[in-house]
Each structure stands twice: as C-alpha cells, then as structure tokens.
Amino acid sequence: PIAVDGIGFIVNPKNPVKKVTSDDLKNIFTGKFTKWTEIKSEQDKSQDEEAGKFFKGSIDKIKLFIQRKNSSTYDYVLDSILKKTEYSNTAVVCSTSAQVLYNVRNIENAIGIINMNWLTTGNADTIDSTVKTLKVSRIGDNGRQYDFAEFHQGLIYNASYPYRRTIYVFSTEQDMKLSSGFITFLLHNEGQKVVLKNSLVPVSQPVRTIQIN
C-alpha cells in the first residue's frame, strides 16, 4: 500500500443539500429517491426547509451521473454503498471524471461520484469550488449512525470519512531490483509528499488534522 483515495459525492454549488446518510446515497443512486425533497434530515431541519424552497417543479428531479462500468469507482459504490443493488436505469454513464464534473457544474439538480484527486491540488484550502462535496454519515448494518464527515484528506486518513480505498503497487520482481527501490522511494518522506501533492492520502507518514471553528 502506498496511498489512500477517497470516493466523494458532488452536487452543484447552488444545491442547498449539504448532508446525506449512506442510506440516502443508496436510495438516490438506486432510484428509490427520484426527487431532492425526498431526502429528510433528522438533524438539520433547515436543510429540508431550504431544499423545499429551492427545488420547485422539474428542478426537483435528481439527475444522476456515474462512472462507466469498467471503472473501479463504479464497482466500489456498487459494493460498498448500494450493497449489490443495481444503479438506477436513469443514471447517465460518463466516460471520464471530467465529464462528471462538467455536468454537475452546469446542472443545478445533478449529483455525481468523484475521486479526491480530481477535486484538490493537495491542499484542502484549494478544493474545487465549482462543485460542492456532500458531508456523509454512514449507517452501519447494526443501525448505528456515525457522525457526518466532510470529504477531506485528513478525515479520509483517520477514517472519519467512510468511503476510502487503499492504492497498492505490485511488482513481479522477487529480488532487490529497480522496482524495489521505486517502492521504497514511494513509501518514504519524499515519495509520500508526491502522494499528498497529487491529492491522495499518505499511508506511511503521519497526517495531522486541525479543526478551526
């Protein structure tokens, strides 16, 4: 393992919805929820009120944008969030992450799936402001609901943000050869800086998060 990546959910910046649970995401991407106003927040009634005011008529319809079927992100969401339930047949399949971003930027009632390294330049302060990432609260199989967590490198590192996956480097060489040196470089300070600058999360270097209110 050389890095950790996060899977985020983005909406148009005008969308008043800020927080969703894992159940909400499942209902959205399987098509059980077809309207934004069907999402109800027990902890943030103001979100429901704002959504009710904003989403009127046809704009209330949720427009889904997902990755292509041979994408690992497609499979990750299918396994981890949809629990093997198929994506809605109304979802628009995008060939690239750039296409997902383009649609969400330009369609007020859109939602899309994106990787962390498509949104930042290694610094959460420079996250792409042309889209908005949703805070997510995972609900476990036992019914326990966890805190809402922002899509942020530090919260992906400490697993507060629930949807993350490990990135591995594989080598067929059994002896100490060039690939061994490259992997060693990636796991040490300078290599992990490269990981961080490419908006992934280091695995062998400590990451400190500071909450500023």
Side-chain angles (χ1 to χ4, degrees):
I2 61 162
V4 178
D5 190 17
I7 307 298
F9 301 89
I10 53 173
V11 295
N12 188 277
K14 294 181 181 179
N15 191 326
V17 174
K18 303 178 182 69
K19 299 176 181 178
V20 292
T21 67
S22 56
D23 285 354
D24 291 331
L25 290 172
K26 181 180 180 181
N27 289 333
I28 289 169
F29 283 96
T30 59
K32 184 176 181 179
F33 286 172
T34 60
K35 297 179 179 180
W36 284 104
T37 49
E38 291 180 275
I39 301 170
K40 302 299 181 184
S41 175
E42 294 181 3
Q43 300 176 351
D44 190 351
K45 295 302 181 183
S46 63
Q47 173 175 291
D48 297 344
E49 293 172 1
E50 290 175 23
K53 293 176 183 177
F54 182 81
F55 292 113
K56 300 290 187 181
S58 61
I59 199 176
D60 192 17
K61 183 179 179 180
I62 299 173
K63 291 192 175 183
L64 305 173
F65 294 93
I66 63 174
Q67 276 78 2
R68 62 190 186 279
K69 282 191 175 182
N70 62 342
S71 162
S72 60
T73 301
Y74 177 101
D75 290 333
Y76 179 93
V77 173
L78 184 65
D79 293 342
S80 301
I81 301 174
L82 307 191
K83 307 298 184 183
K84 299 293 186 178
T85 304
E86 290 299 320
Y87 286 90
S88 169
N89 58 14
T90 64
V92 177
V93 178
C94 298
S95 58
T96 64
S97 293
Q99 189 178 357
V100 175
L101 285 165
Y102 175 83
N103 283 301
V104 174
R105 287 181 184 124
N106 291 281
I107 301 173
E108 292 182 350
N109 52 338
I111 183 171
I113 308 166
I114 205 72
N115 298 66
M116 172 58 80
N117 65 329
W118 276 91
L119 288 183
T120 76
T121 57
N123 184 336
D125 293 334
T126 59
I127 199 164
D128 189 340
S129 60
T130 63
V131 294
K132 183 174 72 176
T133 57
L134 295 175
K135 293 182 178 180
V136 177
S137 168
R138 185 174 70 85
I139 298 176
D141 293 336
N142 60 359
R144 177 186 174 187
Q145 181 171 350
Y146 295 81
D147 291 339
F148 285 93
E150 186 179 350
F151 191 52
H152 182 281
Q153 281 172 293
L155 300 181
I156 292 170
Y157 173 82
N158 65 20
S160 294
Y161 183 84
Y163 300 120
R164 59 202 293 275
R165 59 186 179 185
T166 304
I167 297 173
Y168 296 88
V169 171
F170 292 90
S171 172
T172 58
E173 295 179 355
Q174 297 181 3
D175 301 322
M176 296 295 292
K177 295 183 179 179
L178 180 62
S179 65
S180 300
F182 180 60
I183 292 171
T184 299
F185 164 76
L186 288 174
L187 288 172
H188 284 77
N189 187 45
E190 292 304 315
Q192 292 287 282
K193 285 182 180 178
V194 174
V195 166
L196 186 62
K197 288 180 180 178
N198 282 276
S199 303
L200 298 171
V201 179
V203 294
S204 65
Q205 300 294 318
V207 174
R208 183 175 65 171
T209 58
I210 300 173
Q211 180 70 44
I212 300 175
N213 295 322

